[in-house]
Amino acid sequence: MLWVSKDGEEKRFTFSDIMKYSNQCANYFTSLGIKKGDRVMLVLKRHYYFWFIILALHKIGAVVVQATNMLKAKDYVYRCNAGKIKAIVATGDGEVTEYFDEGEGQYETVELKFVTKGKKVPGWIDFDDGFERANGEWQRPIGDQATRADDMMLMAFSSGTSGYPKIITHNFTYPLGHIMTGVFWHRVVDGGVHFTISDTGWLKSLWGKIYGQWFGESAVLVYDFEKFEAADILSKMEKYKVT
């Protein structure tokens, strides 16, 4: 993965790097009691932590719940209570933690709140610190904690065009379906560079930024921008030779 910040900072991650960092995340989460079946909300925009964390939760067998940073307090309260969310990992950008905390006292199941990017917020755990100190060797769960194909892997909320958003779930066979997406629709190839713009709060990010593309052995370009500007996007496609 080639990650590029809005300020032009670049980070390159090999599959080996991704394995190690997702192992660290998995060990960190399990040390704090996150286990198979727990629902964990991710509000991480396009930061590279999303890829480490989603794979870590897959390894644990926890359920990933994506969310956009555009949500307000009532949206978080509804999603957390409807989805029985145990933990949230939020970006330190903007006012995500502030909006979430406006719902304090209304969350029925939330036990852990993590914030990234070094932001210090009372009641929130510094994710960066714990992640950096965690072990990079992962022992695959066995017995009752082992992950099975028909276990729930993802919980998504529909766009909610009428009434509140509805819950949609997928099991651990879901990524295999995206071999069709990445290899046969996007035509990714080993040595190629695929670019899907979507924020990680949307399911589209899973269709274009992880499963099918990596099954097809392609690199993924992630541009962590704030506002869409066509000329800027085109310049990134040209600079990084998006295939």
Side-chain angles (χ1 to χ4, degrees), residues 75 78-79 156-168 202:
D75 305 309
Y78 167 73
R79 284 164 172 76
F157 285 85
S158 69
S159 56
T161 49
S162 61
Y164 279 108
K166 311 301 188 293
I167 291 174
I168 301 162
W202 309 105

Side-chain angles (χ1 to χ4, degrees), residues 182-225:
V183 177
F184 296 100
W185 176 22
H186 295 161
R187 300 296 182 93
V188 299
V189 294
D190 185 4
V193 179
H194 179 82
F195 183 33
T196 284
I197 289 176
S198 175
D199 181 282
T200 63
W202 309 105
L203 278 174
K204 172 60 184 170
S205 63
L206 305 185
W207 309 340
K209 298 172 94 87
I210 181 168
Y211 301 131
Q213 294 67 39
W214 281 354
F215 278 131
E217 301 184 65
S218 176
V220 171
L221 170 64
V222 178
Y223 179 31
D224 193 0
F225 65 94

Side-chain angles (χ1 to χ4, degrees), residues 36 59-61 139-151:
K36 177 181 176 180
K59 290 176 178 183
I60 294 169
Q139 295 297 318
R140 191 170 186 170
I142 58 175
D144 292 342
Q145 290 303 304
T147 302
R148 307 191 186 286
D150 59 358
D151 288 334

